Amino acid sequence: MNAIISASELAIELTGENPPVLLDVRWQLTMAKAAGEPPFDGRTAYRAGHIPGAVYVDLDRELASAPGSHGRHPLPDLAEFGAAMRRAGVSSSARVIVYDGGQGWAASRAWWLLRWTGHPDVRVLDGGLPTWQGPLETSEPPPAEGDFEPAPGATGLLDADGAAALARSGVLLDARAGERYRGEVEPIDPVGGHIPGAVSAPTNENVGADGRFLPAEELGARFKALGASEGTEVGVYCGSGVSAAHQVLALAVAGIPAALYVGSWSEWSSDPSRPVAVGPDPQ
């Protein structure tokens, strides 16, 4: 099953007899801003216009639990996540399509969580809302209650120890910008650098200038050059388990399964006993 869908394909599916459940997960990483400038508000953006039938999902509140020792976006409480998905109309028997404002990170986080918790058919709108050529709506009709019950998978999830081990036994990709990986800058977390043994693989290199994923063959070649190919155990982390989900999705498009270290650098760097590597060399 293809993990992504184009806007033209989505338009056709929405007019079919069994349209998919559509989730709007617009979100942006909140950084320190000039005084008086409000942070991005995904719900306000949703209310200003969304693809008809889409239901808004809040990444910070419904796709993660509160920040703490396990990072800025730890796994959500599964009971609360399941309830949020059912409120959004998600059922195990119906396809789910997720989109965001175009960056793809938030939609990928929703995709990963639904897949990890057992939903059989989830896709991400390639390129997000900017690729949609159809009408938008501002009304918020309540969806029919879904029946989705999360059943977490035994694989596909890494903790800190698992990420450290995978960096030695397989391939651990760091999805952050190269300067954060090298430790040259660190705008958010306590210390800059990377998990020893991790390979720099910035997420933005998964997409073209239009924000859409590169063709599967190009993605496969990119990951192979980084040491990740079919048959290799692969894991991904980023700052807080959001952009890394986009990398896991890109790997899936290339036909390479990968696990996600959800705590990512925000968890790793919060413990001063954990080793930190700096510079371009993985070690």
Side-chain angles (χ1 to χ4, degrees), residues 9-222:
E9 291 171 328
L10 174 59
I12 293 170
E13 291 213 8
L14 289 176
T15 60
E17 292 184 5
N18 297 299
V21 174
L22 192 57
L23 304 181
D24 182 314
V25 198
R26 273 178 277 183
W27 171 89
Q28 289 181 14
L29 178 64
T30 299
M31 304 282 285
K33 297 191 176 189
E37 184 180 352
F40 176 80
D41 185 339
R43 187 173 292 278
T44 296
Y46 166 82
R47 288 171 173 163
H50 52 268
I51 298 176
V55 178
Y56 179 71
V57 172
D58 190 313
L59 185 149
D60 290 318
R61 294 177 174 82
E62 297 174 318
L63 304 182
S65 54
S69 61
H70 291 296
R72 288 192 306 279
H73 291 103
L75 285 174
D77 175 88
L78 289 179
E80 294 179 5
F81 171 67
M85 293 299 98
R86 291 190 293 275
R87 285 195 302 271
V90 175
S91 293
S92 296
S93 59
R95 173 173 293 171
V96 178
I97 295 176
V98 192
Y99 72 89
D100 58 23
Q103 188 177 42
W105 295 5
S108 297
R109 171 74 175 218
W111 168 85
W112 181 85
L113 269 171
L114 282 165
R115 293 291 292 148
W116 179 68
T117 53
H119 197 287
D121 193 353
V122 189
R123 298 189 186 188
V124 169
L125 176 59
D126 192 14
L129 186 60
T131 67
W132 177 253
Q133 299 298 311
L136 299 177
E137 69 175 10
T138 57
S139 60
E140 300 180 57
E145 183 84 2
D147 64 12
F148 180 67
E149 293 288 347
T155 60
L157 176 67
L158 294 171
D159 60 11
D161 291 339
L166 185 57
R168 297 188 297 270
S169 65
V171 176
L172 182 65
L173 301 177
D174 184 317
R176 298 172 301 157
E179 59 269 24
R180 292 184 68 191
Y181 169 88
R182 295 187 295 271
E184 296 166 358
V185 299
E186 182 43 66
I188 309 172
D189 295 312
V191 63
H194 58 270
I195 298 173
V199 177
S200 180
T203 297
N204 62 4
E205 295 180 16
N206 295 328
V207 299
D210 60 0
R212 300 178 189 177
F213 280 104
L214 299 174
E217 296 78 9
E218 291 185 30
L219 288 171
R222 179 196 181 211

